[in-house]
Amino acid sequence: MADVQEFLMFIVGFLMYKELLKLTEHLMSELTPEPDSTGGEKPKKLTEHRKSLMEENNILTNLPVDVLELITKGLSINDYLALRAVCRSCRKTISNSIENKRCFHLPEMPQVFLRSKYSRYFFSLSKKKLHHHRLATPPLRYTEKCIGSIKGWLIMIDYSKIDFVKFFFLNPVTDVKIMIPSKLFLPTYRHSTVGGNIKPPVIKMVASSKPNCDSFSDGHLVGLFRDYCHIAIYKLFEKSWTIVESDKDSTFLNMEIIGTKLYVIVSDDSSQKVLVYCLKDSINGPPKAKVLAECPSISPSISEWRLSFLSKDEALRELYLIYVFYYAVPLNGNRHAAPGLKFLSECGEPAQVTKIQMFKLDTNKDPIEWQNVQLEDRVAFVSNLCNIVMSRDELNCNKDLTRGNTIYFALHCRCTNPWQGLRLGMFCLTDSSIKYFPVEKSKHDDDIAYRNPPVWFVPNLL
Amino acid sequence: MAQEASSSTSSKTISLKTGDGEIFEIEASAAKQMKTVQRLIDDLGDDITIPLHNVFSKELPKIIEYYKKDITGEITKDFEAEFVKDLNDDEVKVLFLAANYLDANKLFEFLSQNIADRLESKSVEYVRKYFGVENDFTPEEESKLREERAWSFRGIKEDE
């Protein structure tokens, strides 16, 4: 047996090196002593012989796919996708790889998704700039809005109809849409009309996993209603929606799903706490909540506001509580959305982030408490609609770009000048320093700032 | 990573003959890292000169240099940076192919990353030129491709 194997290996080796002999012969003859810096055009008419040699000796097309993957592994998504335009055979290889979910490229840094009426904008951390994509595909409709994100997918709501809303996932890199089959009917919660504009009834949504992976069919979606008193839970397996109402005089603020547990921040007049719902066993009616822990009561100072977010470290399945404090002076009093829930109405001056704090649960204490933490070698991305905590190793970037123990924020606080309402920047937990990223006003789309609150997402092909 | 030299081959050197007739010596433990060479040694014995028809005197010394450092465990980021610093694109390509032929994994992976770095943000024309590939799209197809994914055609570096 071993002899046959060895013999076969020898044959393969022999054939391989015959191929490569031709290849290197060709390469040696093509190599010029100095690289042609003028980039002169190749003569238009290649002789047949040279043409066929070139085809045969083409690294890109003749190398086995797993060897090519070693090269593409070091390329960013941009460069990886650009390979499809090199030649037909390249295009085929790359398209096949994407289809087989075997596309290897460098992991991307999270970007901020913003939209205006006609375009999608992305703020890239590596370039610290807004760039936008005028796509050949039709732009998002007026009644489609992004209300969350998970990995490389944006969670979108379609609120074009009066009686129900639909949701879908959108991958902005590949433009693939995955629809959620069941409509969510709105029995008593009508669209609120403010100044003639119809607003989406569900303002935020989280998902248990990204849409095209195996665990998705068992997963959940949870959406927060505009009244802050109701959440809608969707079980993908049963294709059914359940609506849960908050207790009297308390409101839901934010939520996060880890596995089959749903964590929700509720607020009433006196305090905030985190509730946990077990999504798995809700055979008899809607899931019941258990109080997980009271939120640390760190009150904002005068003219300071506090936002409370939940986030998770996907890899470690740990829950974080994030407080963002910012200083803002409202122009005309405050907006009351619900009992105990005061919202900042429009400000004249842009909001200033004063500090950000992160907490993790300390299960050793009884009752369970939150403890202030440092991120160390992890990085957090905070926005109104989506919060991500990642390890620096997962990020492809110049290591100077993401220092550890740093929180990147993309917040929107209403301001008379909408562009100034966009606050993008970074907060360092070590020394509490803040740096803002300038967002230049775009020539074309003035309504970018309030068309959609900013959302972090991690560009990905899958 | 230093390879543990087995007692029988610890101080032995192997003779390699390139396609253009030159002979180079390498330590047997370095030869072990190049699977193709090792196979030839296993078939032909380690006393005779191993012929490498596809590797030439231009690149073999560089490869030997790399593995010399490897067996003493001295490969650092600085060494790797120095190693490729003065190589032009074609030289890297030739080394890459040679490493592939020799089945020299470590060098091969390192060079793959280097090629990826050299291609970063380059235009499609540059990539074609680099790999010696013909553009077989029609002009209409090509303009459609450029529109297709705006992600791909932004932020292109100037061709060097």
Side-chain angles (χ1 to χ4, degrees), chain A residues 12 33 83 101 172 257 324 369:
Chain A
V12 170
L83 286 179
K101 305 210 171 147
I257 304 181
V324 176
E369 275 188 6

Side-chain angles (χ1 to χ4, degrees), chain A residues 87-291:
Chain A
C87 64
R88 280 185 203 280
S89 134
C90 237
R91 188 179 178 75
K92 196 142 175 260
T93 312
I94 303 281
S95 299
N96 283 346
S97 299
I98 297 181
E99 256 187 59
N100 298 334
K101 305 210 171 147
R102 279 187 65 85
C103 45
F104 293 99
H105 55 78
L106 287 171
E108 291 275 320
M109 280 197 74
Q111 296 199 6
V112 182
F113 171 76
L114 298 157
R115 64 166 293 199
S116 66
K117 202 164 169 194
Y118 300 111
S119 307
R120 304 175 196 181
Y121 285 78
F122 300 90
F123 181 84
S124 136
L125 268 182
S126 40
K127 303 199 172 65
K128 299 273 188 335
K129 276 178 43 176
L130 265 189
H131 56 115
H132 86 285
H133 298 266
R134 258 175 292 114
L135 298 169
T137 50
L140 291 172
R141 279 192 257 144
Y142 180 80
T143 49
E144 289 173 345
K145 211 163 167 175
C146 175
I147 52 175
S149 83
I150 177 150
K151 303 266 174 76
W153 297 82
L154 300 175
I155 309 178
M156 312 286 296
I157 181 174
D158 173 357
Y159 56 104
S160 46
K161 300 284 191 281
I162 296 287
D163 290 333
F164 62 85
V165 288
K166 294 187 78 162
F167 302 95
F168 61 95
F169 290 86
L170 171 67
N171 184 327
V173 178
T174 57
D175 246 351
V176 172
K177 279 189 187 176
I178 297 185
M179 302 294 302
I180 298 299
S182 324
K183 304 170 183 156
L184 171 61
F185 286 93
L186 314 165
T188 46
Y189 329 113
R190 294 288 171 188
H191 296 233
S192 63
T193 50
V194 175
N197 289 325
I198 294 183
K199 291 197 165 199
V202 174
I203 55 168
K204 182 178 163 145
M205 182 164 273
V206 291
S208 55
S209 70
K210 62 179 177 139
N212 59 356
C213 69
D214 295 325
S215 56
F216 187 59
S217 44
D218 266 335
H220 297 85
L221 296 175
V222 179
L224 176 65
F225 278 90
R226 173 169 293 279
D227 63 3
Y228 289 87
C229 293
H230 296 85
I231 54 177
I233 303 177
Y234 183 69
K235 262 180 144 54
L236 273 134
F237 193 67
E238 292 166 19
K239 296 204 177 49
S240 64
W241 286 99
T242 312
I243 296 187
V244 173
E245 190 168 352
S246 63
D247 292 334
K248 192 163 157 23
D249 289 338
S250 75
T251 53
F252 294 124
L253 284 190
N254 250 306
M255 62 261 180
E256 187 62 81
I257 304 181
I258 302 186
T260 53
K261 296 226 170 8
L262 169 68
Y263 298 90
V264 187
I265 302 181
V266 292
S267 164
D268 56 30
D269 270 330
S270 51
S271 66
Q272 288 184 359
K273 16 181 202 282
V274 175
L275 301 182
V276 54
Y277 291 80
C278 193
L279 294 172
K280 239 163 108 175
D281 46 33
S282 50
I283 317 168
N284 309 312
K288 297 275 191 300
K290 280 208 289 238
V291 177

Side-chain angles (χ1 to χ4, degrees), chain A residues 81-82 84-86 91 133-136, chain B residues 122-128 135 137-154 156 159:
Chain A
L81 290 177
R84 292 176 311 172
V86 168
R91 188 179 178 75
H133 298 266
R134 258 175 292 114
L135 298 169
Chain B
K122 291 294 200 304
S123 68
V124 172
E125 288 82 12
Y126 185 94
V127 176
R128 281 188 197 133
N135 175 12
F137 290 115
T138 67
E140 299 87 34
E141 286 176 323
E142 189 160 1
S143 59
K144 226 178 77 173
L145 281 178
R146 286 189 178 274
E147 299 228 332
E148 177 185 49
R149 293 285 181 248
W151 283 86
S152 310
F153 294 108
R154 293 279 182 263
I156 307 283
D159 284 355

Side-chain angles (χ1 to χ4, degrees), chain A residues 6 9-10 16-17 20-21 23-24 27-28 31 35-36 39 42 46 51 54 58-60 63 67 70-71 73-75 78-79 81-88 91 111 122 132-136 172-175 457 459, chain B residues 39-40 43 53-54 56 58-59 88 90-91 93-94 96-97 100-101 108-109 112-113 115-117 119-122 124 127-129 131-138 141-142 145 147-155 160:
Chain A
E6 270 190 43
M9 265 172 58
F10 185 73
M16 253 180 69
Y17 96 68
L20 284 162
L21 178 64
L23 177 54
T24 32
L27 275 176
M28 293 308 286
L31 278 178
D36 184 0
K42 278 200 160 61
L46 289 173
K51 243 194 199 162
M54 276 183 78
N58 184 339
I59 305 184
L60 274 189
L63 276 181
V67 166
L70 270 179
I71 299 183
K73 198 168 78 169
L75 295 175
N78 264 6
D79 295 327
L81 290 177
L83 286 179
R84 292 176 311 172
V86 168
C87 64
R88 280 185 203 280
R91 188 179 178 75
Q111 296 199 6
F122 300 90
H132 86 285
H133 298 266
R134 258 175 292 114
L135 298 169
V173 178
T174 57
D175 246 351
F457 77 105
Chain B
R39 257 175 288 167
L40 287 170
D43 289 334
H53 294 280
N54 278 340
F56 297 84
K58 194 151 187 255
E59 56 268 16
N88 68 26
D90 281 320
E91 287 166 342
K93 246 196 318 187
V94 169
F96 174 77
L97 287 172
N100 184 32
Y101 166 69
F108 185 62
E109 284 201 17
S112 309
Q113 179 60 50
I115 293 185
D117 291 341
L119 292 178
E120 185 194 325
S121 292
K122 291 294 200 304
V124 172
V127 176
R128 281 188 197 133
K129 216 166 76 153
F131 287 110
V133 172
E134 272 264 296
N135 175 12
D136 52 0
F137 290 115
T138 67
E141 286 176 323
E142 189 160 1
L145 281 178
E147 299 228 332
E148 177 185 49
R149 293 285 181 248
W151 283 86
S152 310
F153 294 108
R154 293 279 182 263
E160 274 152 34

Side-chain angles (χ1 to χ4, degrees), chain A residues 236-390:
Chain A
L236 273 134
F237 193 67
E238 292 166 19
K239 296 204 177 49
S240 64
W241 286 99
T242 312
I243 296 187
V244 173
E245 190 168 352
S246 63
D247 292 334
K248 192 163 157 23
D249 289 338
S250 75
T251 53
F252 294 124
L253 284 190
N254 250 306
M255 62 261 180
E256 187 62 81
I257 304 181
I258 302 186
T260 53
K261 296 226 170 8
L262 169 68
Y263 298 90
V264 187
I265 302 181
V266 292
S267 164
D268 56 30
D269 270 330
S270 51
S271 66
Q272 288 184 359
K273 16 181 202 282
V274 175
L275 301 182
V276 54
Y277 291 80
C278 193
L279 294 172
K280 239 163 108 175
D281 46 33
S282 50
I283 317 168
N284 309 312
K288 297 275 191 300
K290 280 208 289 238
V291 177
L292 183 67
E294 292 257 333
C295 293
S297 56
I298 303 174
S299 302
S301 5
I302 311 262
S303 286
E304 213 184 28
W305 298 79
R306 187 186 86 191
L307 290 172
S308 315
F309 297 119
L310 286 174
S311 179
K312 65 184 175 195
D313 182 321
E314 186 77 44
L316 303 172
R317 302 212 130 190
E318 286 177 332
L319 184 70
Y320 286 89
L321 173 66
I322 306 173
Y323 280 170
V324 176
F325 293 89
Y326 62 99
Y327 173 85
V329 179
L331 274 183
N332 309 306
N334 293 321
R335 196 162 54 96
H336 288 257
L341 200 59
K342 212 169 39 170
F343 272 135
L344 187 61
S345 62
E346 223 165 67
C347 314
E349 296 295 314
Q352 302 293 336
V353 174
T354 44
K355 70 171 178 283
I356 305 185
Q357 291 179 319
M358 308 246 337
F359 303 90
K360 257 202 316 197
L361 282 175
D362 184 357
T363 42
N364 293 328
K365 294 227 168 67
D366 183 30
I368 298 182
E369 275 188 6
W370 296 94
Q371 56 167 174
N372 225 313
V373 287
Q374 300 282 305
L375 285 172
E376 283 152 33
D377 63 345
R378 276 182 281 189
V379 184
F381 298 88
V382 166
S383 66
N384 303 74
L385 290 178
C386 175
N387 300 286
I388 314 173
V389 176
M390 298 169 79

